């Protein structure tokens, strides 16, 4: 039932994370509470770096997609492991810079970066801008000219790959708001435009084919399509693209039954494909970038809640209500994301009670999971949701004027607060 090896069950039958009793954490910090294992985050960061070293002569960098969980301490940890970082707003750039990250290590994404955001990014010297559309190219060149800078850009390409994952998180195909399509010549036009503008250096090409992907195959296919495009740019415009960014989307375990993707295997297959294609096309081996978000952080986190009540509606269903919900984890409400739910203080009891886990927010759709098998809890017991490290805190809101939870980091068996719980004062700080 556990989804990560940073989780365990102690002698008292309590769920542990990073070796620390979750009951102790719930008591000390209150609930709802996000808890993360720093050891796990560092282990995964190292495995990404290691796989590039081993399979690609170290000629590349993993880029952490910070939208998965962006706060100062996470930025510091990722930075200290030597990963670059993706930002998708000026706010994420600001957070990384405030955490001490060298702006050169930031890569700025987004399908509708505002002029102000582009200016902010370029003024602060971010590493490169991933151009998503023609306006991006024109604006970056204009801002570059104004600031007397030549700005590195990477073109975001839709390689037209249909990855079987949830419709809402599928982005590689032509019907997507992200990037330039290959099929209709848009991507080629973008490359031509970028190659002609003086304050732009066309440095890379990028694709991101989806999320929660478990096979290396779609990535192998994507790398081949992208090298075809690199060859086309070389043939037509005489520019040899140096950077190949294959995006993120590596799957994680939300349920124990989910498969396990070995990142080393991924890099091995992709590296082989790139070397073969480069030989075939007469291209230099590009520097490789990958952009894991969810997989760096997702399995390293859990959320602890206190059960408030259990409502048994005969012949309908049982509801277990907890003291959080869509305000700290909107992913079930958004796209029926799957999660494992457990009663943290009775991990060895039989999980044979069928129930729906509901939040405290005023929406019928405020559910964390439907029809799970769980230990039947009493009010006051601690319910844990596993693998909530990614896209939970970063998607949290103050709906119903609930405060956002605190986040605690566990390192070598020691707990420390990395984000404090919001206060009522925080809730009204912008109210006039
Ligand atoms: C969201 C996103 C990622 C990260 O995706 P994960 O599924 O979290 O690994 C990487 N690159 C881009 C461009 C993204 O939009």
């Amino acid at each position: 039932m556990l989804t990560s090896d940073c989780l365990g069950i102690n002698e008292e039958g309590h769920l542990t994370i990073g070796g620390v009793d979750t009951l102790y954490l719930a008591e000390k910090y209150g609930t709802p509470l996000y808890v993360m294992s720093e050891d796990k985050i560092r282990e995964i960061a190292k495995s990404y770096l290691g796989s590039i070293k081993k399979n690609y002569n170290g000629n590349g960098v993993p880029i952490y997609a910070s939208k998965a969980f962006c706060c100062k301490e996470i930025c510091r940890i990722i930075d200290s492991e030597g990963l670059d970082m993706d930002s998708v707003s000026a706010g994420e750039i600001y957070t990384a810079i405030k955490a001490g990250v060298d702006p050169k290590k930031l890569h700025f994404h987004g399908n509708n970066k505002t002029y102000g955001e582009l200016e902010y990014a370029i003024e602060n010297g971010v590493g490169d801008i991933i151009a998503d559309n023609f306006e991006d190219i024109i604006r970056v060149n204009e801002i570059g000219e104004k600031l007397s800078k030549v700005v590195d850009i990477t073109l975001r390409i839709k390689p037209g790959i249909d990855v079987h994952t949830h419709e809402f998180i599928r982005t590689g195909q032509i019907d997507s708001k992200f990037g330039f399509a290959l099929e209709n010549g848009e991507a080629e036009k973008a490359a031509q435009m970028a190659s002609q503008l003086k304050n732009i250096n066309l440095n890379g090409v990028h694709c991101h084919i989806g999320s929660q992907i478990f096979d290396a195959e779609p990535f192998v296919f994507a790398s081949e399509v992208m090298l075809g495009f690199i060859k086309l740019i070389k043939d037509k415009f005489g520019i040899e693209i140096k950077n190949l960014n294959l995006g993120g989307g590596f799957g994680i375990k939300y349920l124990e039954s989910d498969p396990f993707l070995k990142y080393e295997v991924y890099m091995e297959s992709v590296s082989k494909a790139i070397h073969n294609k480069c030989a075939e096309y007469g291209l230099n081996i590009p520097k490789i970038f990958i952009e894991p978000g969810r997989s760096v952080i997702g399995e390293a986190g859990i959320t602890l809640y206190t059960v408030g009540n259990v409502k048994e509606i005969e012949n309908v269903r049982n509801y277990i209500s907890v003291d959080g919900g869509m305000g700290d984890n909107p992913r079930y409400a958004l796209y029926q994301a799957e999660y494992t739910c457990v009663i943290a203080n009775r991990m060895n009891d039989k999980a044979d009670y069928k129930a729906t886990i509901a939040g405290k927010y005023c929406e019928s759709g405020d559910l964390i999971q439907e029809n799970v098998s769980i230990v039947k809890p009493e009010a006051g017991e601690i319910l844990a949701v596993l693998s909530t490290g990614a896209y939970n805190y970063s998607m949290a809101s103050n709906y119903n004027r609930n405060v956002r939870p605190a986040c605690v980091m566990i390192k070598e068996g020691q707990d420390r607060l990395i984000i404090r719980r919001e206060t009522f004062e925080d809730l009204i700080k912008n109210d006039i």
Side-chain angles (χ1 to χ4, degrees):
M1 110 191 63
L2 301 180
T3 52
S4 167
D5 58 9
C6 68
L7 305 176
I9 300 171
N10 66 13
E11 277 168 11
E12 289 140 288
H14 296 175
L15 175 70
T16 62
I17 175 165
V20 178
D21 192 324
T22 53
L23 270 287
Y24 154 80
L25 294 169
E27 173 76 32
K28 178 170 174 183
Y29 296 99
T31 60
L33 183 70
Y34 300 111
V35 190
M36 311 283 301
S37 162
E38 179 169 343
D39 307 311
K40 188 72 198 166
I41 297 168
R42 289 188 181 277
E43 177 194 317
I44 297 172
K46 282 185 175 68
S47 83
Y48 273 117
L49 263 175
S51 75
I52 291 179
K53 207 174 205 174
K54 180 164 166 245
N55 298 295
Y56 208 78
N57 297 319
N59 184 24
V61 186
I63 303 173
Y64 167 62
S66 76
K67 70 175 193 253
F69 192 147
C70 185
C71 71
K72 283 163 70 178
E73 187 65 358
I74 301 274
C75 288
R76 287 183 202 113
I77 292 168
I78 296 291
D79 187 47
S80 74
E81 288 296 334
L83 272 60
D84 280 10
M85 244 171 274
D86 271 349
S87 310
V88 292
S89 70
E92 285 187 356
I93 295 173
Y94 175 83
T95 305
I97 290 175
K98 283 288 177 189
V101 177
D102 179 352
K104 283 208 264 327
K105 301 180 79 181
L106 301 177
H107 306 260
F108 188 27
H109 269 285
N111 71 301
N112 190 16
K113 309 168 194 76
T114 67
Y115 196 90
E117 284 181 309
L118 284 168
E119 246 175 349
Y120 180 80
I122 295 167
E123 271 169 8
N124 279 287
V126 303
D128 74 334
I129 309 272
I130 291 81
D132 173 282
N133 53 71
F134 292 106
E135 296 303 329
D136 268 356
I137 299 176
I138 294 164
R139 288 171 182 165
V140 169
N141 186 62
E142 201 175 295
I143 296 163
E145 196 178 339
K146 213 163 58 183
L147 301 173
S148 308
K149 282 188 177 185
V150 177
V151 184
D152 284 342
I153 69 161
T154 292
L155 295 180
R156 177 161 184 171
I157 306 301
K158 288 184 264 197
I161 293 164
D162 182 8
V163 178
H164 294 284
T165 175
H166 198 287
E167 188 82 31
F168 290 174
I169 46 180
R170 186 204 283 173
T171 51
Q173 78 285 22
I174 191 162
D175 181 11
S176 160
K177 68 171 184 169
F178 297 104
F180 298 101
L182 277 178
E183 291 99 310
N184 57 11
E186 213 176 38
E188 184 182 330
K189 221 184 278 172
Q192 182 176 26
M193 183 189 247
S195 69
Q196 289 168 348
L197 295 172
K198 276 212 294 288
N199 290 83
I200 278 179
N201 175 34
L202 177 53
N203 214 24
V205 290
H206 166 280
C207 67
H208 173 68
I209 55 176
S211 274
Q212 198 55 0
I213 302 168
F214 288 100
D215 301 321
E217 233 172 38
F219 293 104
V220 166
F221 185 50
S223 67
E224 292 173 348
V225 172
M226 296 300 280
L227 285 164
F229 183 57
I230 290 179
K231 178 170 164 27
L232 180 143
I233 295 176
K234 187 182 172 191
D235 292 347
K236 292 218 163 167
F237 313 117
I239 295 175
E240 182 145 1
I241 298 291
K242 288 192 203 70
N243 296 337
L244 173 59
N245 186 329
L246 291 174
F250 313 107
I252 67 163
K253 269 167 134 30
Y254 284 105
L255 306 176
E256 199 183 15
S257 56
D258 283 337
F260 176 73
L261 177 75
K262 283 191 81 176
Y263 311 122
E264 294 79 13
V265 175
Y266 159 84
M267 263 322 290
E268 202 181 313
S269 318
V270 168
S271 173
K272 222 179 272 168
I274 292 175
H275 281 82
N276 287 341
K277 273 285 164 210
C278 284
E280 185 187 332
Y281 292 156
L283 297 169
N284 295 319
I285 306 293
K287 184 171 178 182
I288 195 171
F289 293 87
I290 52 174
E291 300 177 316
R294 182 191 320 272
S295 56
V296 175
I297 208 110
E299 287 177 13
I302 61 172
T303 308
L304 302 177
Y305 301 101
T306 302
V307 173
N309 64 75
V310 179
K311 206 172 269 182
E312 300 193 330
I313 311 171
E314 217 176 314
N315 300 322
V316 181
R317 64 166 123 185
N318 306 321
Y319 282 99
I320 298 171
S321 290
V322 297
D323 56 352
M326 66 189 292
D328 58 79
N329 181 1
R331 293 187 69 251
Y332 189 80
L334 272 175
Y335 39 68
Q336 290 78 55
E338 293 184 300
Y339 282 106
T340 301
C341 304
V342 297
I343 299 302
N345 49 301
R346 282 195 281 140
M347 294 298 288
N348 295 328
D349 287 14
K350 218 167 169 187
D352 56 1
Y353 186 64
K354 284 263 181 296
T356 284
I357 316 301
K360 72 187 290 285
Y361 294 77
C362 297
E363 287 281 336
S364 299
D366 168 32
L367 304 174
I368 287 176
Q369 207 60 206
E370 286 184 274
N371 303 319
V372 296
S373 292
I374 192 165
V375 173
K376 185 178 177 183
E378 307 271 329
E381 291 192 290
I382 300 298
L383 186 146
V385 181
L386 312 183
S387 296
T388 58
Y391 305 109
N392 272 235
Y393 175 77
S394 63
M395 286 186 168
S397 77
N398 290 121
Y399 181 47
N400 292 164
R401 290 243 149 167
N402 285 297
V403 297
R404 270 175 287 215
C407 182
V408 168
M409 188 65 80
I410 311 292
K411 183 185 188 187
E412 290 162 8
Q414 300 297 314
D415 53 286
R416 69 181 194 279
L417 197 62
I418 65 160
I419 301 171
R420 65 166 176 75
R421 190 177 301 283
E422 283 179 335
T423 62
F424 291 157
E425 193 54 38
D426 291 328
L427 290 176
I428 59 163
K429 71 171 183 268
N430 296 319
D431 294 5
I432 292 164

